[in-house]
Amino acid sequence: RWDENDMASGTPDFFKRTFLSAGNVEQLKISATSTDTLGTFSQLVKAFIIYNDGPNAVHVNYDATSTTDKFKIPARGFKMLAFPVTVLHFICATSQTATVYVEGLY
């Protein structure tokens, strides 16, 4: 049985676990600007984590051009996904920039 006391500080006390048969890692550093900026892996990755080192929010799209209507990762935020991708697209709001680190597993 779940109740509100099972949560600490408004966040769940569990994390979804993802298990992959990946053996190699590729890391990217992207300087996102207000124009579509690419993060390209050397081959198809099975899963990846994106960390926005800031100082501004960044929007991300997968294998297609990004706009500020796409998924938003705030400064100091991250996102983990487990699906195949080769190219990530990043964009910031007008006149903003962000440094984004990505680690892909293949």
Side-chain angles (χ1 to χ4, degrees):
R1 177 177 158 331
W2 179 89
D3 67 32
E4 63 189 24
N5 295 322
D6 291 333
M7 296 177 65
S9 303
T11 59
D13 61 352
F14 66 91
F15 293 95
K16 180 180 177 182
R17 304 285 190 236
T18 303
F19 298 97
L20 298 169
S21 60
N24 294 304
V25 174
E26 184 174 353
Q27 297 179 350
L28 305 175
K29 180 180 177 183
I30 296 105
S31 297
T33 66
S34 58
T35 59
D36 188 55
T37 308
L38 303 180
T40 305
F41 292 107
S42 62
Q43 65 184 52
L44 189 71
V45 296
K46 296 178 180 181
F48 53 95
I49 183 169
I50 302 168
Y51 172 67
N52 178 5
D53 197 30
N56 301 296
V58 66
H59 301 265
V60 62
N61 202 12
Y62 320 100
D63 287 329
T65 300
S66 189
T67 66
T68 54
D69 292 332
K70 300 301 179 187
F71 189 84
K72 181 179 180 179
I73 302 173
R76 307 289 188 244
F78 69 94
K79 182 173 184 167
M80 296 185 312
L81 293 167
F83 64 83
V85 70
T86 303
V87 180
L88 299 170
H89 294 253
F90 300 93
I91 195 167
C92 294
T94 302
S95 75
Q96 294 186 349
T97 62
T99 300
V100 180
Y101 294 89
V102 184
E103 187 168 80
L105 304 171
Y106 62 94

